[in-house]
Amino acid sequence: MDNSQEERYADLHTHSQASDGMNTPTQNIKLAVEAGLGAIAVTDHDTVAGVAEAIEAGKQYDIEVIAGVEISTREDNKDIHILGYYLNTEDPQLLERLQGLREVRDNRNVQILQKLRDLGVEITMDEVIQQLGRELMPDESIGRPHMADVLVAKGYAVDLKDAFNKYLAEGAAAYVSPPRITASDAAVWIREANGVPVMAHPGIYGDDALVERILDNSSIAGLEVYHSDHSAEDEQRYLEIAQRRDLIVTGGSDYHGERQGKVFHGPLGGKNVPMSTLTQLRQLQTAIETGITAE
């Protein structure tokens, strides 16, 4: 890898309209180029529907695009997210499994809307989709930020943060978390699609003992040390955990776009890793695909 490439960076955690991001995949690619990045991963929730467009845009704008996904799991009554990189987004088994996860998400959304109605908060799924301002495309998923947009639009909340604090965040009045697969299951799914599994934003979970336990009992190969919601102390702590366990150190902004004038979770490219990280991910991906590794 030449020095000019080494000096560039990659944002390995971004979302598009295929899940709960505000921008099209192409718009995110343009932002990555403007930010001077060398690469960007598209990691939508439980779907790879935005990856093909992103890869085509990457070719057009001369930036590497990593095929990714962020899988929703549940451990010890906490939502845990597992990122997958360089996976085969056309693998039939993966696509069927992700469809199943989106069906769980759809059922959860129905339950959230019912809880909101029980609280006297009248919003419907039709309103949530209408608020998108566009047609919901196949394999795209509706998430809580979409509901938050309607809560704000109808005056039930001041902004996205207020909507989550009042109604949608874990422990809030309308929060619902249905049974999901485990983090270990997600890691297996990603590997079976020839991808590399990485635990997303461990600092969000507020339970390092659980993080370590999941890492003990799964084939997760990397840890997202750098994230928009991690403090400097968090980053140092997770860097030490990753190094002690010989995990690949990753990072990304978790960019979802701008809602009510605020960027969520952070600006694209605001958290990143060196391009050399991609070499580590690709090497492990090759080992997984060829069956050389037993991880």
Side-chain angles (χ1 to χ4, degrees), residues 98-161:
L98 293 179
Q99 174 61 33
L101 295 181
R102 291 195 298 275
E103 289 170 2
V104 171
R105 182 181 289 266
D106 290 344
N107 291 334
R108 179 208 65 173
N109 292 344
V110 170
Q111 294 175 55
I112 290 174
L113 293 175
Q114 183 58 56
K115 282 189 121 179
L116 287 170
R117 284 193 292 273
D118 292 344
L119 294 166
V121 177
E122 295 293 336
I123 73 169
T124 67
M125 183 53 69
D126 285 344
E127 289 176 311
V128 173
I129 294 173
Q130 185 177 6
Q131 186 70 24
L132 295 176
R134 60 182 179 82
E135 184 181 356
L136 186 67
M137 302 302 290
D139 297 333
E140 292 184 348
S141 64
I142 291 292
R144 287 176 292 166
H146 296 123
M147 299 181 198
D149 287 341
V150 179
L151 290 170
V152 172
K154 297 189 75 171
Y156 291 113
V158 175
D159 55 21
L160 184 78
K161 183 176 180 181

Side-chain angles (χ1 to χ4, degrees), residues 17 19 38 45 59 69 75 79 84 112 114 131 135-136 161 164 189 198 211 236 291:
Q17 290 179 352
S19 61
H45 296 286
K59 293 174 183 176
V69 71
E75 296 270 353
D79 292 331
I112 290 174
Q114 183 58 56
Q131 186 70 24
E135 184 181 356
L136 186 67
K161 183 176 180 181
F164 268 77
W189 287 11
V198 171
V211 168
Q236 182 59 38

Side-chain angles (χ1 to χ4, degrees), residues 56-228:
E56 284 305 308
K59 293 174 183 176
Q60 180 181 352
Y61 293 99
D62 193 26
I63 184 172
E64 180 175 351
V65 175
I66 297 104
V69 71
E70 185 172 13
I71 293 181
S72 308
T73 79
R74 190 79 172 160
E75 296 270 353
D76 285 9
N77 297 315
K78 286 187 180 292
D79 292 331
I80 307 292
H81 291 176
I82 306 300
L83 295 157
Y85 296 113
Y86 289 109
L87 72 177
N88 177 6
T89 57
E90 297 179 358
D91 178 78
Q93 180 174 246
L94 174 69
L95 295 176
E96 183 178 349
R97 286 168 162 173
L98 293 179
Q99 174 61 33
L101 295 181
R102 291 195 298 275
E103 289 170 2
V104 171
R105 182 181 289 266
D106 290 344
N107 291 334
R108 179 208 65 173
N109 292 344
V110 170
Q111 294 175 55
I112 290 174
L113 293 175
Q114 183 58 56
K115 282 189 121 179
L116 287 170
R117 284 193 292 273
D118 292 344
L119 294 166
V121 177
E122 295 293 336
I123 73 169
T124 67
M125 183 53 69
D126 285 344
E127 289 176 311
V128 173
I129 294 173
Q130 185 177 6
Q131 186 70 24
L132 295 176
R134 60 182 179 82
E135 184 181 356
L136 186 67
M137 302 302 290
D139 297 333
E140 292 184 348
S141 64
I142 291 292
R144 287 176 292 166
H146 296 123
M147 299 181 198
D149 287 341
V150 179
L151 290 170
V152 172
K154 297 189 75 171
Y156 291 113
V158 175
D159 55 21
L160 184 78
K161 183 176 180 181
D162 186 45
F164 268 77
N165 288 342
K166 283 182 179 176
Y167 302 111
L168 301 173
E170 187 167 344
Y175 179 75
V176 173
S177 185
R180 298 185 188 270
I181 64 170
T182 67
S184 178
D185 290 334
V188 170
W189 287 11
I190 290 165
R191 284 175 176 269
E192 288 181 348
N194 293 330
V196 180
V198 171
M199 181 184 286
H201 43 59
I204 287 180
Y205 311 134
D207 189 343
D208 283 359
L210 174 60
V211 168
E212 296 254 23
R213 197 157 61 248
I214 291 171
L215 294 174
D216 281 340
N217 298 310
S218 71
S219 59
I220 291 169
L223 191 64
E224 188 174 53
V225 170
Y226 304 104
H227 183 273
S228 297

